[in-house]
Amino acid sequence: MEEKNYTGLIPPQETGVIIDSAASEEFESPREASAFFEIAKSRLLAVNKWHEVAGKASAEFQLVDKDGHEVNRTVEKGDYFKIDIPGPGSSAGDGYDWVQVEDVKEVSQTDVDSIGIRVRPSTSPLNEDKSIAHFYSEDSTSTFIVTRENNKVTATIYDRNTKPNTDSETIMDKVRHVATGIGAIFGGSKLQWKGLAKGLVEKE
């Protein structure tokens, strides 16, 4: 799949697996597409509503600020996602998987508008455990992008350098992260992100 990396947020692929998901909608004119881009953009930035956007079978996302407080606002650099996926959670993350927002960036050109969020597996801000509280390793990233090109709006999700987290301090977390990470690489992430991409650009 061709990368829509106008924001420059997608990192180079150096290790592990690539997982890409995309969905798009076309409109009668660039003006209509621009108007819809704003709708898709607002959906992208409202992380707490991703579960509604992606569908009932998806993971639930809660935005947490850098001080560990749950917040109900648009996402900002330095925030965390507290993620509740189906099945057993991470003990290092108090039952949740955690990623931190490395960057949020928007660009606007003559025929292109694009906005993206890049996250990376992280420790939990709620405890002193320094283990990565996620089933993917800290080399892994996910980049969520909404782009308008002329009269077309596309939602794309790029997992890069994706591999299971094998560095957990406890045996229970190590087994859980490896099993969940392998399952995600071989289908789980693709299914989750496909639903989110489709929901982000679904016409009302």
Side-chain angles (χ1 to χ4, degrees), residues 52-124:
E52 300 171 24
V53 172
K56 297 299 182 183
S58 66
E60 296 187 31
F61 296 80
Q62 171 63 52
L63 199 62
V64 175
D65 69 16
K66 59 183 177 59
D67 297 315
H69 303 123
E70 293 187 1
V71 290
N72 187 22
R73 55 163 170 73
T74 57
V75 61
E76 298 176 1
K77 182 177 179 179
D79 285 342
Y80 294 86
F81 295 178
K82 183 175 75 170
I83 309 168
D84 186 6
I85 68 168
S90 163
S91 61
D94 299 314
Y96 299 93
D97 289 278
W98 292 83
V99 297
Q100 188 167 26
V101 179
E102 290 192 326
D103 208 353
V104 180
K105 188 175 180 181
E106 183 173 9
V107 297
S108 183
Q109 303 172 9
T110 303
D111 296 318
V112 173
D113 297 299
S114 190
I115 185 167
I117 304 164
R118 186 178 70 236
V119 304
R120 186 182 298 272
S122 70
T123 59
S124 167

